[in-house]
Amino acid sequence: MREITTAIPRMSADELSIHRHSGYVLISYTSGKHNINSLFCSFPLSQEASCDPSENADLILRGNRSTYPFDSEDNRLLIPWWKKELINFTRKAYEHQKPILGICLGMQLLMDYSEEFGKHPGLGLLKGGVNKIKTKAKLPQIGWNTVKIIKTNKLTNNIKNNDWFYFVHSYVIRPKNNNQVFGITEYGKDEFCSIISYNQVYGVQFHPEKSSQSGLKIYHNFVWNVWPAASG
């Protein structure tokens, strides 16, 4: 990976952390380190290299793959970040056809908008919105649940139908295009999209890094199946 030269406005470490891993870009928007370490351990990556986002604006473009492990339960944390210049580089990554994987809230950020804590704009990389799970069951959903594989692609390769994954969320995406739905999950009689894919953009509502071997397969597929196909 080449050196990063462009600068972006400085952000607090509690707001944003960017980690570079052998051509991968892991972006965590949380309070503190959160579960970024478990993500590092789950990815089939080599030696870690961390970097200060204030010094690395073009990181997404120059990295090979981008993952967005946003998983805060408080969408209000999103609002300050949404005003930052990083949003421009995320869209540039999309325009440059970089593979993107959104995890949990990161998946929700890929949509046009979210209704959590008021209506807020999303990245708009996928058409549709985000709203609360329609259920009388306890929220957030915390724990293991199954994913029904609707169809397979490079991300879901070798994932068993109705396999178990770990969820922590109260809101879900509602895609406009059902052809982009690759996996669905039911909680409290509400069936929602738990795996989405369109072009080089992928998203999962569950946490692969907390989902045992099935979750590791998701990361393995992203690294070894999605990226080689995107890079030609």
Side-chain angles (χ1 to χ4, degrees), residues 170-228:
S170 298
Y171 284 72
V172 295
I173 67 169
R174 309 289 185 182
K176 285 187 176 181
N177 188 344
N178 288 330
N179 290 329
Q180 298 174 357
V181 177
F182 281 73
I184 58 175
T185 296
E186 182 176 326
Y187 181 72
K189 298 184 179 180
D190 187 7
E191 191 175 78
F192 58 88
C193 172
S194 51
I195 303 177
I196 194 168
S197 173
Y198 177 67
N199 291 337
Q200 82 275 21
V201 179
Y202 299 82
V204 295
Q205 183 59 62
F206 50 84
H207 290 266
E209 73 282 357
K210 298 180 180 179
S211 300
S212 190
Q213 293 302 312
S214 297
L216 294 180
K217 285 181 184 179
I218 291 289
Y219 286 147
H220 182 277
N221 288 341
F222 182 68
V223 171
W224 299 113
N225 295 343
V226 172
W227 171 248

Side-chain angles (χ1 to χ4, degrees), residues 19 33-43 48 209:
H19 307 261
K33 290 185 177 179
H34 210 61
N35 72 332
I36 194 71
N37 291 330
S38 60
L39 278 162
F40 281 145
C41 293
S42 301
F43 262 81
E48 175 186 348
E209 73 282 357

Side-chain angles (χ1 to χ4, degrees), residues 79-118:
I79 299 173
W81 177 84
W82 214 241
K83 299 177 182 179
K84 304 297 184 179
E85 287 299 317
L86 186 62
I87 187 68
N88 297 326
F89 295 100
T90 306
R91 287 178 173 150
K92 285 182 181 179
Y94 176 78
E95 292 169 2
H96 284 71
Q97 299 183 339
K98 300 292 184 181
I100 296 173
L101 173 61
I103 303 167
C104 197
L105 179 57
M107 176 192 194
Q108 298 174 12
L109 295 182
L110 301 173
M111 310 307 289
D112 289 320
Y113 64 91
S114 173
E115 295 179 354
E116 188 172 3
F117 295 101

